[in-house]
């Protein structure tokens, strides 16, 4: 158990809908990263938050957004869902930002868009 | 843009045999990670390699890093079925030290 908690574990929804994925980082970790794993794109970095502020964006669609709350948990919001958004979404947390510290991954949320 | 290439992408090997997975990356980085992923599961950290010449071993797996060649290897010794999984290398970089992953090597160890 990495100490990173993601909910829900599985999510099935229809095209056009909106969903929210939740991540609770390890105790004491200030950084949260979101990654998407799909068959065609592999593992891709989406976005990073540190202590409540967005710090970096990767290949994140405009239909997707995220935030990190004062208690440091993070949510990834996916809207106007398309079939191609079906993927495994991971969050990872690490202690800091800017210095290389190891990131620990949650169990992931498997999103299926039908 | 940082690129990470792994090969082979698929590897079937007999139990008891040795093999090496290669990971090349395109720009300077001071950390390289190896992860294992079982189907539908999370990423399990295997090794963190911090410097040129670093070598780490755990059981039948040994990882090394050559930062000058921008190359890491994951060597499997006397493979057993339990090692069947997908192995990813990842390099950190960018403003947030986010990870850039290779495509993964799907390893199947046959009896």
């Amino acid at each position: 158990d990495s100490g990173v908690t993601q909910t829900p574990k599985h999510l099935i929804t229809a095209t056009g809908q909106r969903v929210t994925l939740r991540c609770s980082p390890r105790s004491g970790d200030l950084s949260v990263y979101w990654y998407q794993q799909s068959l065609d794109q592999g593992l891709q970095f989406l976005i990073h938050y540190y202590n409540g502020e967005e710090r970096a964006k990767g290949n994140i669609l405009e239909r997707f957004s995220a935030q990190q709350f004062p208690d440091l948990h993070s949510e990834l919001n996916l809207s106007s869902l398309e079939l191609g958004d079906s993927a495994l979404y991971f969050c990872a947390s690490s202690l800091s930002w800017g210095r290389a510290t190891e990131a620990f991954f949650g169990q992931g949320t498997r999103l299926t868009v039908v | 843009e940082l690129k990470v290439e792994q090969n082979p992408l698929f590897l079937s090997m007999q139990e008891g045999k040795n093999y090496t997975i290669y990971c090349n990356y395109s720009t300077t980085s001071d950390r390289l990670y190896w992860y294992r992923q079982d189907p539908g599961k999370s990423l399990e950290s295997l090794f963190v390699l911090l410097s040129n010449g670093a070598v780490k071993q755990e059981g039948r797996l040994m990882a090394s890093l050559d930062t000058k060649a921008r190359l890491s290897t994951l060597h499997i010794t006397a493979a057993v079925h339990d090692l069947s999984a997908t192995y990813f290398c990842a390099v950190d970089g960018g403003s947030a030290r986010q990870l850039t992953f290779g495509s993964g090597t799907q390893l199947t160890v046959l009896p």
Side-chain angles (χ1 to χ4, degrees), chain A residues 22-95:
Chain A
R22 181 186 171 104
C23 171
S24 294
R26 292 188 321 157
S27 177
D29 284 357
L30 300 178
S31 271
V32 171
Y33 301 82
W34 285 97
Y35 292 87
Q36 179 195 57
Q37 185 177 29
S38 62
L39 285 175
D40 54 344
Q41 298 289 329
L43 268 158
Q44 295 218 322
F45 166 68
L46 295 178
I47 197 164
H48 170 242
Y49 277 82
Y50 176 77
N51 203 20
E53 292 189 21
E54 180 188 306
R55 291 296 184 176
K57 273 187 173 181
N59 298 319
I60 187 166
L61 299 172
E62 286 191 9
R63 301 183 283 109
F64 296 0
S65 64
Q67 52 185 327
Q68 186 179 28
F69 294 87
D71 67 352
L72 300 176
H73 91 271
S74 179
E75 293 181 355
L76 180 67
N77 301 296
L78 315 176
S79 62
S80 302
L81 285 167
E82 302 175 358
L83 296 177
D85 298 327
S86 296
L88 198 49
Y89 291 85
F90 288 108
C91 82
S93 74
S94 69
L95 181 61

Side-chain angles (χ1 to χ4, degrees), chain B residues 29-107:
Chain B
S29 176
D30 59 3
R31 279 200 180 206
L32 189 136
Y33 301 81
W34 284 96
Y35 289 92
R36 168 182 171 142
Q37 186 181 37
D38 292 299
K41 303 294 186 183
S42 186
L43 294 155
E44 175 191 352
S45 178
L46 295 174
F47 301 108
V48 181
L49 301 171
L50 302 177
S51 60
N52 187 42
V55 177
K56 289 196 173 180
Q57 183 163 5
E58 180 72 34
R60 301 174 187 274
L61 300 177
M62 183 174 71
S64 66
L65 178 62
D66 181 343
T67 58
K68 293 179 182 177
R70 298 176 185 166
L71 171 68
S72 180
T73 60
L74 180 66
H75 187 72
I76 302 155
T77 302
V80 294
H81 179 70
D82 285 352
L83 290 179
S84 297
T86 299
Y87 294 84
F88 291 93
C89 64
V91 178
D92 77 6
S95 60
R97 309 303 296 236
Q98 66 267 26
L99 295 175
T100 299
F101 285 86
S103 299
T105 296
Q106 187 176 320
L107 171 65

